[in-house]
Amino acid sequence: MPKPFDKLTATAAPIMRANIDTDVIIRIERLVGNSIRGTLGKWAFGSLRYLADGSENPDFILNREPYREAEILVTGPNFGCGSSREGAVWSLQERGIRAIIGSGFGDIFFANCFQNGILPVLVDKAVVDQLAADIEATQGAGKVSIDLEAQTIVSPSGARHSFEIDPRRREGLLKGLDEVALTLQRDDEIHAFQASDRTTRPWIHFQKTAASRTPVSRTSA
């Protein structure tokens, strides 16, 4: 089950390059094998974090203090586009990322975030740019606060921004529930509908018996 998300005040790292796809977030060869969960954090953004000799790239923001401790990413447009691999979200989660603020996300990546307890916050590009500027003005020392209940973001400068989120997905994050668990919460409603539907549309619920499946023999004319 995803970890519940309510409020978060943390270091935020701006990664403003546009169109960072899931292959940049985690390369496909890191997802091969049966025991990869729990090993992916060190490979998140591998092509950006490491140089050809395997050493850290000092220019990549998550390799610099205080951004190493970032739990929030502020991202450029269309973050998480490309392949549908859920491993991209797993790797960020294992890297310690709990929220991503951006002006656009890949659709499947966006949905996978909710299934795994990461909050993707969709806001206007002007808000993203202002957040990134505020963070950089403090060289990362200023924290960003997110309140999911109130649907607000507070930047290091104190500027407050509101955001919209699907109510059902918001409930899932607040309670730490994925789609299956959210559906099971409505089990009584589902059974009541099925009982009513059996009365009004019995043919929909017709179950074949062994006799009904017996082939009918052809007779000659």
Side-chain angles (χ1 to χ4, degrees):
M1 256 339 147
K3 182 179 178 181
F5 189 111
D6 180 9
K7 298 176 182 176
L8 175 64
T9 296
T11 299
I15 301 179
M16 302 304 288
R17 179 173 142 185
N19 302 315
I20 289 185
D21 63 25
T22 50
D23 195 54
V24 172
I25 297 172
I26 185 76
R27 291 183 61 82
I28 189 64
E29 60 265 32
R30 303 302 181 190
L31 299 175
V32 176
N34 297 321
S35 303
I36 57 169
R37 296 296 298 270
T39 69
L40 299 175
K42 64 182 178 182
W43 301 121
F45 297 113
S47 59
L48 301 175
R49 284 171 68 190
Y50 302 110
L51 300 174
D53 64 0
S55 62
E56 286 190 348
N57 177 1
D59 293 331
F60 184 57
I61 191 167
L62 294 179
N63 289 338
R64 306 200 308 263
E65 299 294 346
Y67 301 109
R68 282 184 185 276
E69 307 305 319
E71 295 179 65
I72 301 171
L73 297 180
V74 177
T75 61
N78 206 24
F79 186 82
C81 58
S83 161
S84 62
R85 66 190 67 163
E86 192 173 14
V89 174
W90 297 345
S91 68
L92 294 178
Q93 189 177 50
E94 292 177 18
R95 172 62 183 73
I97 302 302
R98 298 192 60 207
I100 308 171
I101 302 169
S103 61
F105 297 93
D107 289 342
I108 297 175
F109 175 86
F110 188 76
N112 284 339
C113 283
F114 288 102
Q115 295 304 308
N116 289 279
I118 290 181
L119 171 62
V121 181
L122 189 60
V123 290
D124 290 343
K125 186 175 182 300
V127 173
V128 176
D129 292 344
Q130 185 60 58
L131 278 170
D134 286 353
I135 294 164
E136 289 168 351
T138 68
Q139 298 184 333
K143 309 286 188 184
V144 171
S145 296
I146 302 173
D147 186 332
L148 178 57
E149 188 82 50
Q151 297 179 208
T152 58
I153 305 166
V154 179
S155 80
S157 69
R160 185 179 296 269
H161 309 279
S162 61
F163 64 89
E164 299 297 322
I165 185 171
D166 177 84
R168 181 173 166 80
R169 284 173 160 169
R170 174 174 170 270
E171 179 189 2
L173 280 176
L174 287 169
K175 295 180 177 177
L177 302 175
D178 61 16
E179 285 289 339
V180 174
L182 281 171
T183 301
L184 289 176
Q185 282 199 319
R186 304 180 67 179
D187 196 44
D188 290 346
E189 292 177 60
I190 294 169
H191 280 90
F193 169 81
Q194 289 175 330
S196 171
D197 201 47
R198 284 192 187 94
T199 301
T200 56
R201 301 189 304 166
W203 61 91
I204 295 295
H205 301 273
F206 174 74
Q207 293 182 346
K208 287 185 177 180
T209 63
S212 71
R213 290 197 295 269
T214 302
V216 177
S217 61
R218 291 176 180 274
T219 56
S220 55

